[in-house]
Amino acid sequence: MSSPSQAPGSKDSSIVRPGSLLAILGGGQLGRMMAMAARTMGYRVRVMDPEPACPASFVVDETIAGRWDDVDAARQLATGVDSVTLEIEQIGVNALAEVARLAPLRPGVEPIRVIQDKTLQKTWLAENRFPVGPFRVVRSEAELRDAVPALGGNVFLKIGRGGYDGRGQARIGCESPPTEEAIAAAWASLGSRPSIAEKALDLDCEISVMAARNPAGEIRTYPAARNHHENQVLAWSALPAGVPTNLEARAEELAAAMIAKLGIEGLLCIEFFVTRQGELFVNELAPRPHNSYHQSERGCATSQFEQAVRAACNLPLGSTELMTPCAIANLLGDLWLNGEPDFPAALAVPGVRLHLYEKQTPRAGRKMGHLSSIGATAEEALERVLEAKRRL
Ligand SMILES: Nc1ncnc2c1ncn2[C@@H]1O[C@H](COP(=O)(O)OP(=O)(O)OP(=O)(O)O)[C@@H](O)[C@H]1O
Ligand SMILES: [Mg+2]
């Protein structure tokens, strides 16, 4: 039920029952898979996306075309729906506020405002004493010139807004010395925009933890996933992560504390760095389903997509128990460069399933789909998806 009589942004904590109309800001692969989970539970779904033929458009009742800052499109999306959630954090704050005026917006405007800008997000994490590696917010080339030596000379520079899959990032002092020219070039390459400079950490591995919280305040965390990036893009992810139990428990504790502190009604995925010294640092937050939990569809009692629907509808959260080890490997557009990949060959590998997002044009680096598998161990599940990918 929408509650136009309520104050702007106020929450309707009533349960949104199956059969109701659910709206999603964003119709990419995450929105598509969330929509499929919602449909399984009998919900009707409406999405908003700049691209009318977005991945979710093929599985939903209605697609509204609109840019992320389009207030009119946001109004159209939220009118007459029972709950609104999102699959991308880059939605304009005015559009979010308009949605929240018309329907329960879960996770909520304020946490999205903080998370969608890496400068605000990292500052929030540090102010709230969550463990982050050394960083500085930089607003000018001069500030960057000061920051680089202060951070040890080997630095990741990331734009505050709009970066993803390693886009909007530059390295300084990694392959060549951090000269003034190199710093100026890095600053210019990102469009001279407010950014964060981070010390390059000596990583042992990367893990993530997905947390969920519903409007009733119930919180659940998933076991940690192990993530492997290539060229700053997630290549594969596996559950369980196989990290020491106390490290995993600490990561889950931090995830639960963050989702409570941010007051999120929905999902929050925390990407963590584990350094060679065994320290645990937060890399970044995502208030939505995350690529590193696609395998939860195969191995967990409740997939991240169903959990997102439950949280958005104030239903009891599902069990996050890992029933069987599982893994995914991403399929980037590069695989299409020499024609259609050999899907039948990949599907001959036992336990492997194919997930394609129906994106119309493959491009290098574009996430087109993924392979998933279960196995007796995370290593076996991973070996299966990697073998299937080799066969493509
Ligand atoms: N400070 C750092 N030290 C070491 N490695 C880093 C650091 N920052 C980023 N990386 C590497 O780059 C990857 C991408 O960085 P980050 O998650 O900040 O970017 P992103 O573009 O938001 O990525 P995505 O959308 O894939 O999550 C990280 O997963 C990690 O492998
Ligand atoms: Mg990341």
Side-chain angles (χ1 to χ4, degrees):
M1 285 148 288
S2 57
S3 321
S5 57
Q6 287 188 320
S10 75
K11 284 171 242 149
D12 178 352
S13 62
S14 66
I15 290 170
V16 177
R17 289 172 192 279
S20 308
L21 180 57
L22 182 64
I24 306 173
L25 286 152
Q29 63 267 23
L30 303 176
R32 171 187 171 94
M33 291 183 273
M34 233 196 299
M36 291 198 282
R39 295 204 79 98
T40 298
M41 297 172 78
Y43 289 94
R44 290 172 300 127
V45 187
R46 179 190 285 170
V47 298
M48 179 183 119
D49 196 275
E51 171 57 57
C54 61
S57 67
F58 306 107
V59 303
V60 299
D61 299 274
E62 203 183 339
T63 304
I64 289 163
R67 291 194 328 263
W68 305 132
D69 57 354
D70 185 334
V71 174
D72 292 332
R75 184 180 312 121
Q76 229 182 309
L77 178 85
T79 301
V81 304
D82 302 288
S83 179
V84 185
T85 185
L86 52 76
E87 61 117 45
I88 178 165
E89 52 273 27
Q90 302 305 335
I91 310 286
V93 170
N94 292 340
L96 288 173
E98 182 64 5
V99 168
R101 195 174 68 78
L102 295 163
L105 172 66
R106 296 167 178 156
V109 181
E110 183 54 18
I112 302 303
R113 188 188 69 81
V114 172
I115 291 173
Q116 69 183 200
D117 184 333
K118 281 183 169 153
T119 69
L120 298 181
Q121 184 193 127
K122 267 271 148 76
T123 304
W124 181 91
L125 286 165
E127 279 175 4
N128 287 281
R129 301 184 176 280
F130 290 111
V132 288
F135 78 98
R136 277 202 193 176
V137 174
V138 288
R139 300 188 183 282
S140 64
E141 194 183 314
E143 285 184 7
L144 181 59
R145 266 199 308 272
D146 283 349
V148 170
L151 294 167
N154 186 358
V155 163
F156 278 78
L157 182 65
K158 307 177 181 179
I159 49 168
R161 288 168 170 276
Y164 69 101
D165 288 348
R167 287 166 233 196
Q169 286 197 14
R171 295 289 310 264
I172 301 169
C174 169
E175 268 147 24
S176 49
T179 56
E180 263 193 36
E181 293 72 45
I183 290 171
W187 179 249
S189 76
L190 299 188
S192 313
R193 285 181 280 173
S195 301
I196 49 170
E198 292 181 12
K199 181 186 172 77
L201 299 169
D202 188 12
L203 302 187
D204 176 33
C205 67
E206 297 187 53
I207 63 172
S208 52
V209 169
M210 178 61 78
R213 180 173 173 275
N214 67 12
E218 188 189 358
I219 292 176
R220 297 220 182 198
T221 57
Y222 283 79
R226 176 182 291 256
N227 304 327
H228 174 71
H229 292 75
E230 285 166 12
N231 304 317
Q232 269 109 272
V233 183
L234 186 74
W236 57 256
S237 178
L239 272 171
V243 292
T245 325
N246 57 346
L247 186 82
E248 181 171 28
R250 173 92 184 112
E252 286 191 56
E253 238 170 60
L254 287 167
M258 275 179 243
I259 198 168
K261 186 101 196 169
L262 283 164
I264 283 179
E265 297 174 342
L267 302 183
L268 180 68
C269 187
I270 293 94
E271 297 177 14
F272 288 101
F273 292 139
V274 181
T275 67
R276 285 189 204 280
Q277 294 73 42
E279 302 149 301
L280 183 68
F281 290 118
V282 178
N283 172 28
E284 61 167 349
L285 311 180
R288 51 166 170 80
H290 191 267
N291 196 170
S292 64
Y293 276 86
H294 289 355
Q295 64 273 29
S296 63
E297 264 191 329
R298 304 295 311 279
C300 296
T302 310
S303 77
Q304 63 166 346
F305 304 111
E306 178 177 335
Q307 197 76 300
V309 174
R310 286 174 179 243
C313 295
N314 201 13
L315 292 167
L317 296 179
S319 162
T320 55
E321 191 186 338
L322 185 63
M323 315 300 284
T324 174
C326 49
I328 58 116
N330 277 336
L331 303 178
L332 301 183
D334 313 61
L335 284 166
W336 273 252
L337 292 180
N338 300 317
E340 167 101 351
D342 192 351
F343 296 121
L347 286 167
V349 179
V352 168
R353 279 194 199 159
L354 174 66
H355 310 248
L356 289 180
Y357 310 146
E358 296 188 78
K359 291 186 182 174
Q360 309 298 301
T361 19
R363 281 194 298 273
R366 188 173 199 205
K367 289 176 181 167
M368 301 296 292
H370 65 274
L371 297 166
S372 69
S373 184
I374 53 172
T377 60
E379 290 70 27
E380 186 183 57
L382 180 60
E383 191 34 56
R384 285 173 169 176
V385 288
L386 296 180
E387 168 58 23
K389 192 174 163 188
R390 281 191 290 272
R391 293 187 185 192
L392 288 173

